[in-house]
Amino acid sequence: MSKVPTLRLDRLLANMGYGSRREVQQLVHAGLVTLDGAEIEEADERIAVTRDLSERMRVQGKPLDPPPGLALMLHKPLGVTCSHKEAGPLVYGLLPDRWRRRDPAISTIGRLDKDTSGLLLMTDDGNLLHRIISPRANISKRYHVSLDRPLRGDEAEIFAAGTLMLESEDKPLLPAQLEAISGTSAYLTLTEGRYHQVRRMFAAVGNHVMALHRDRIGALALPEDLEPGQYRLLGEADLALLLPPAQGAEHMRKRPAGLGPVGAVYGVAAAMSPAVS
């Protein structure tokens, strides 16, 4: 069994964005930090960072934020950018202010471009991030595509062939699965993430993407009741839907016992890879 990590309380809360160590010490001395209903008296007390810590600790009367090792799904709205630096609304602005000061920082797992909506994953767990974005993981991503013109009928065969070349590239795309919904809409499932790949694929067959929405990563689907701008923390069952069985089991074995997504909450809401949409 993995050993449960411990951290000094002042360092833990400072890393979670509650303020500087001095400010955390002031909270403790004011009796505003409790564990299992009892006030913590010393800011340098070592705390076991367990998965249920958010249920057991209160800061200023409110449950502790998710401890390090969090992962979440966000329903990314249109017009919001997966970046820390670009102008305009950013996905990080959809999270609580304090979460943007966390160390380790929360990053997006891959990206969706500004004009694409849907399922976006975020985490402060670098190991999990790299397992999901690694090409070796071969994790699929499904998009609902709305088109300017009707499908010709041969697109599924072309996309599945593994021979389609995008403009200015010298390596063919991996096979992708197209499932027609109507004449001008379809699901497209990919296992790679090249720059604006979905839009460029349809441009290559003479069509134009009017709207794009990602609704699934691996076997993890975007819940119908998760509104644009809302997020939900992921639990181990959710992560098991993301990672291939062998990788998922390995990730859980390596994950420290005290870390990990906890429960499921809703809110209104980066190794950066290309925006594949």
Side-chain angles (χ1 to χ4, degrees), residues 149-214:
R149 292 181 287 280
L151 292 163
R152 300 183 318 207
D154 61 349
E155 292 91 348
E157 181 179 357
I158 292 172
F159 293 165
T163 58
L164 181 65
M165 298 284 293
L166 296 180
E167 185 178 355
S168 75
E169 296 196 8
D170 58 7
K171 183 180 179 180
L173 295 174
L174 294 176
Q177 179 182 352
L178 181 73
E179 177 188 350
I181 300 172
S182 69
T184 56
S185 68
Y187 288 121
L188 181 63
T189 302
L190 313 174
T191 56
E192 54 186 341
R194 303 195 197 182
Y195 181 71
H196 287 180
Q197 181 174 338
V198 176
R199 300 178 191 277
R200 295 167 69 200
M201 288 175 68
F202 280 98
V205 293
N207 214 323
H208 176 71
V209 174
M210 300 296 291
L212 194 57
H213 177 83
R214 184 162 70 190

Side-chain angles (χ1 to χ4, degrees), residues 243-264:
L243 297 167
Q247 282 209 25
E250 181 183 1
H251 178 73
M252 293 309 172
R253 284 197 303 270
K254 291 185 175 180
R255 200 175 185 84
L259 302 184
V262 290

Side-chain angles (χ1 to χ4, degrees), residues 40-268:
I40 297 178
E41 297 182 355
E42 299 296 335
D44 62 357
E45 179 176 334
R46 296 196 70 86
I47 302 296
V49 188
T50 57
R51 293 188 180 96
D52 64 350
L53 192 57
S54 294
E55 302 169 16
R56 300 170 53 220
M57 183 174 285
R58 297 288 184 274
V59 180
Q60 294 180 300
K62 297 180 180 179
L64 181 74
D65 292 340
L70 72 82
L72 61 88
M73 67 165 66
L74 172 73
H75 187 162
K76 179 194 167 298
L78 294 173
V80 178
T81 304
C82 296
S83 170
H84 283 287
K85 300 179 180 179
E86 296 182 34
L90 307 178
V91 292
Y92 299 99
L94 300 174
L95 302 176
D97 288 344
R98 184 165 57 239
W99 289 23
R100 285 176 273 169
R101 300 191 294 270
R102 292 173 64 111
D103 180 17
I106 299 174
S107 298
T108 62
I109 302 177
R111 305 180 69 180
L112 290 175
D113 70 28
K114 183 177 180 179
D115 297 319
T116 302
S117 62
L119 178 57
L120 181 69
L121 303 178
M122 306 178 77
T123 188
D124 63 1
D125 183 340
N127 180 51
L128 174 64
L129 186 153
H130 290 293
R131 283 181 179 274
I132 293 175
I133 68 173
S134 170
R136 291 174 300 190
N138 200 39
I139 296 175
S140 64
K141 297 166 283 282
R142 191 176 80 167
Y143 297 83
H144 182 201
V145 188
S146 297
L147 298 166
D148 181 40
R149 292 181 287 280
L151 292 163
R152 300 183 318 207
D154 61 349
E155 292 91 348
E157 181 179 357
I158 292 172
F159 293 165
T163 58
L164 181 65
M165 298 284 293
L166 296 180
E167 185 178 355
S168 75
E169 296 196 8
D170 58 7
K171 183 180 179 180
L173 295 174
L174 294 176
Q177 179 182 352
L178 181 73
E179 177 188 350
I181 300 172
S182 69
T184 56
S185 68
Y187 288 121
L188 181 63
T189 302
L190 313 174
T191 56
E192 54 186 341
R194 303 195 197 182
Y195 181 71
H196 287 180
Q197 181 174 338
V198 176
R199 300 178 191 277
R200 295 167 69 200
M201 288 175 68
F202 280 98
V205 293
N207 214 323
H208 176 71
V209 174
M210 300 296 291
L212 194 57
H213 177 83
R214 184 162 70 190
D215 70 344
R216 187 179 295 268
I217 300 176
L220 181 67
L222 183 68
E224 293 184 0
D225 61 350
L226 193 66
E227 298 294 331
Q230 290 186 328
Y231 64 88
R232 179 169 73 82
L233 294 177
L234 300 181
E236 291 186 6
D238 298 308
L239 295 179
L241 295 173
L242 281 171
L243 297 167
Q247 282 209 25
E250 181 183 1
H251 178 73
M252 293 309 172
R253 284 197 303 270
K254 291 185 175 180
R255 200 175 185 84
L259 302 184
V262 290
V265 297
Y266 290 86
V268 175

